[in-house]
Amino acid sequence: MSGIIFTSKVDFWIAFVLCLVLLAMISIPLWEWIQGDKRSRKKSILLALILTPFIALIVIPVFGIKYTLTDSQLQVDNGFSTEYIELADISHITPTRNALSAPALSLDRIEIRYKDDRVLISPKYKSHFYQEIKVRNPNIVIGYKND
């Protein structure tokens, strides 16, 4: 079996908030550039340079979050780093709406428990994810929560 890539589900409201933040971060220096005098333009350029890394911190995860299921591992890529989880170490998978920080762009999440740790992910097609992970490790317990 080869690796299957699952993209993150994206909630509309999360995408909307991220777009508003990005729009504000881009618009403020641009507005000052257009409306300001020479001193203000220098300030606008400096502000744009300062905000650029923060814009990257928002944009990179949006396009970089993916979950790759191989024969022996679940690879959780958040756009900046990849966490490798051995399928043999996974004990439980449970649906959740936990809002803790996670490599997920939706609150419709899956909590994956392995060893003494856990990770929250939000694959776009959860049922397909469940099927594929169960094929690779039939010992994984898939739980159900009433949210």
Side-chain angles (χ1 to χ4, degrees):
M1 282 183 250
S2 61
I4 299 175
I5 297 174
F6 294 88
T7 57
S8 179
K9 182 177 180 180
V10 180
D11 283 349
F12 172 78
W13 71 271
I14 291 176
F16 184 74
V17 168
L18 288 175
C19 285
L20 284 179
V21 170
L22 285 173
L23 186 62
M25 292 176 99
I26 293 168
S27 297
I28 292 170
L30 188 62
W31 178 258
E32 285 201 17
W33 173 274
I34 293 169
Q35 299 298 321
D37 59 14
K38 224 177 201 177
R39 234 177 343 165
S40 180
R41 287 192 179 157
K42 288 179 185 176
K43 186 173 86 174
S44 298
I45 292 171
L46 181 62
L47 185 60
L49 290 174
I50 291 170
L51 290 177
T52 299
F54 294 104
I55 292 170
L57 285 173
I58 293 171
V59 172
I60 290 171
V62 169
F63 295 106
I65 294 176
K66 65 182 177 185
Y67 320 109
T68 305
L69 197 55
T70 67
D71 289 341
S72 62
Q73 289 182 331
L74 170 62
Q75 301 167 4
V76 180
D77 185 353
N78 66 15
F80 295 105
S81 65
T82 304
E83 183 176 358
Y84 298 91
I85 303 166
E86 294 296 324
L87 294 181
D89 295 337
I90 298 174
S91 59
H92 289 79
I93 297 177
T94 310
T96 184
R97 296 195 67 76
N98 192 330
L100 288 176
S101 178
L105 296 171
S106 171
L107 288 181
D108 185 15
R109 298 174 173 184
I110 298 172
E111 178 181 332
I112 296 177
R113 292 181 184 246
Y114 61 99
K115 289 188 178 180
D116 292 329
D117 207 354
R118 68 181 179 159
V119 67
L120 299 173
I121 65 171
S122 63
K124 189 172 185 178
Y125 302 107
K126 285 194 328 185
S127 61
H128 185 223
F129 180 83
Y130 289 145
Q131 289 172 348
E132 291 296 332
I133 203 164
K134 199 72 168 157
V135 165
R136 287 164 172 76
N137 182 354
N139 298 324
I140 295 174
V141 176
I142 297 178
Y144 299 96
K145 282 189 178 176
N146 295 329
D147 291 325

